[in-house]
Amino acid sequence: MRDVPAISRRTALRGAGAALLAGAAGCAPARDPHEISLWNFYGPGGQNKSQSDWISKLAADWNATHEVQVRLRYVPNKDYKAGPTLQTSFSAGAGPDVFLLSPGDFLRYYNGGALADLTPHLEPGVREDFLPEVLATRLVDDRVFGLPMEIEPLALFYSEDVFERAGLAEGDLPGTWDELLGLAERLTTPDRFGMLFETNPGYYQNFTWYPWLWMAGGDVFTPDQRRSAFDSPATHRAMRLWQDAVRSGAAPRRVRGEGGNDTISNLAQGYCAMQQLGIWGIAEIAEQAPGFRYGVTPMPAPPGGTATTALGSWAMVANAYGANPEVAAEFVAWALGSSDPACVERMRQWNTVAKTGIPPRYSVRRAAEAHGAFDDGPMRVFADEVMAEARPEPRYPPEVYRAISDALQSCQLDGADPAAVAGAASEQIDTFLAGYDGAAIQ
């Protein structure tokens, strides 16, 4: 494998990139050069009013001082993250000028040539203001192709009311995987599951499973990233944990609402007693279920392992094939990558008011701390305890993601043997790596 400093048109039309850019390189719909589109799953009109208001104000602030106007398009969560909406738009040559990407899907769009280089639009010193491990998954050959909006670590949320009714206290929180399964079984009733893991296939499920793989001592690749390390006892163990949770009846085969990331439909409404969730759950509960009493703790580790979280993070990116890629890139830099106090305040508001996250920039973190954002409660637990051991969400090509997803689904829901599916997935990954010619996999 090698890093590629620039994607040629021929290279861009290989593999997954061919489907992605089939329309982008051909006859695309006419576009207005005086307008750029921003697709997102927050608003206007999204489920969370504070987040919808924030994205609307972002566009309004830009439009008040720039000739090229930003037009927002809201795409519902399930359609944006797990549906074909974004990919289909690029295949038709009608992809948005600015859009949001997680690390899990970064290489699909970078290797397809769809991401504009943001580096020329960043002020000196701004890159150093971003946490390096979070920015790294958006770098290729030291060039920036996306700016993180937040950091979203995962933890274990639990219902305090359920714990109290079961005669449990904070000291009874699970410290090992066996304790987690035992507690989940104890808290399971005919009307409630004790624990909830994501069961819907997709990037989010993979993202939430990776920490269990890491805590068991496993990984997807060898350290040099040249071969698969997926077929290992650690992989088998992490898959078996999720399989055992469903097999025992302590975790559901189907999750409610929008999926395992839906705090309200699953935990707050009593579908489960414990749920693996990201820090965004704090804001969701505060806005949609303010009377719900809950606690947060790091996810338990197996004996000999260390509690480790995955750092999710959505980033804004600019479409290299849009109507005005230069202005789109300028907008992303203005929105999230400026040293202007207005930008710092904007990101503080996003991470600790409109939404809850760990700021991806040191200056924003300092501003949030000055406002007491991490002084107490679940936000303090995330900042001080959950973040103690953390790894960024990996960026894997779609072919690697699918091999892992298929293996996980087979084990979790179909009762397949973890060793057998891990071996098959590892062979698929090695076959893909033998011909891979894209940006470095991280």
Side-chain angles (χ1 to χ4, degrees), residues 84-437:
T85 303
L86 192 61
Q87 292 178 41
T88 300
S89 73
F90 274 92
S91 297
D97 297 289
V98 179
F99 56 108
L100 310 183
L101 272 186
S102 69
D105 215 14
F106 175 86
L107 287 180
R108 180 197 305 274
Y109 291 87
Y110 176 80
N111 288 343
L115 302 185
D117 184 359
L118 305 179
T119 313
H121 302 276
L122 298 176
E123 303 169 17
V126 166
R127 283 180 56 169
E128 290 71 26
D129 194 35
F130 282 88
L131 273 68
E133 61 269 33
V134 177
L135 188 62
T137 55
R138 280 77 176 203
L139 299 180
V140 180
D141 285 343
D142 205 38
R143 310 292 289 181
V144 181
F145 290 88
L147 291 181
M149 298 177 67
E150 76 276 292
I151 302 172
E152 297 182 315
L154 296 165
L156 187 67
F157 283 57
Y158 61 94
S159 167
E160 291 185 345
D161 285 343
V162 170
F163 265 55
E164 290 173 3
R165 288 197 297 269
L168 301 171
E170 197 171 298
D172 296 304
L173 289 169
T176 67
W177 289 6
D178 287 343
E179 290 176 0
L180 175 65
L181 285 179
L183 183 59
E185 291 175 9
R186 176 177 174 179
L187 295 176
T188 298
T189 71
D191 302 316
R192 181 188 65 232
F193 291 97
M195 178 67 205
L196 187 141
F197 297 115
E198 176 66 278
T199 60
N200 294 323
Y203 284 102
Y204 179 76
Q205 185 182 43
N206 284 27
F207 161 60
T208 58
W209 180 76
Y210 291 138
W212 307 96
L213 172 67
W214 300 334
M215 287 189 280
D219 218 322
V220 175
F221 294 102
T222 55
D224 63 6
Q225 306 288 307
R226 294 184 179 277
R227 288 191 60 80
S228 169
F230 195 66
D231 186 13
S232 70
T235 301
H236 309 161
R237 193 175 183 185
M239 286 193 167
R240 190 169 290 112
L241 171 69
W242 280 35
Q243 184 183 72
D244 288 347
V246 171
R247 179 181 288 167
S248 69
R253 297 179 61 84
R254 291 186 178 182
V255 296
R256 287 183 173 175
E258 295 188 343
N261 62 333
D262 188 326
T263 316
I264 307 303
S265 300
N266 295 295
L267 184 69
Q269 294 183 356
Y271 187 60
C272 62
M274 299 182 289
Q275 182 177 356
Q276 182 187 16
L277 279 168
I279 192 171
W280 62 82
I282 298 173
E284 288 184 352
I285 292 172
E287 182 168 302
Q288 300 180 51
F292 178 66
R293 298 172 57 243
Y294 69 99
V296 174
T297 188
M299 294 177 291
T306 301
T308 304
T309 193
L311 304 179
S313 177
W314 288 93
M316 277 191 190
V317 297
N319 181 1
Y321 289 104
N324 200 331
E326 286 296 308
V327 173
E330 180 188 346
F331 170 80
V332 174
W334 169 88
L336 303 174
S338 169
S339 60
D340 189 307
C343 181
V344 173
E345 174 61 13
R346 177 185 305 123
M347 295 186 72
R348 183 192 74 82
Q349 290 279 339
W350 177 249
N351 279 272
T352 60
V353 180
K355 189 178 182 181
T356 40
I358 302 294
R361 293 176 55 179
Y362 296 110
S363 59
V364 179
R365 175 68 180 264
R366 290 192 296 269
E369 289 173 343
H371 282 79
F374 305 103
D375 286 354
D376 51 33
M379 290 289 277
R380 184 201 61 77
V381 174
F382 267 101
D384 295 349
E385 300 178 37
V386 175
M387 289 284 289
E389 292 289 337
R391 290 177 57 174
E393 178 184 359
R395 69 179 198 195
Y396 296 148
E399 293 83 356
V400 174
Y401 142 72
R402 282 195 294 268
I404 297 170
S405 177
D406 290 346
L408 184 55
Q409 285 279 299
S410 294
C411 284
Q412 185 187 33
L413 300 180
D414 297 336
D417 174 43
V421 297
S426 196
E427 290 181 6
Q428 293 175 28
I429 293 171
D430 276 335
T431 298
F432 167 73
L433 288 177
Y436 180 63
D437 186 27

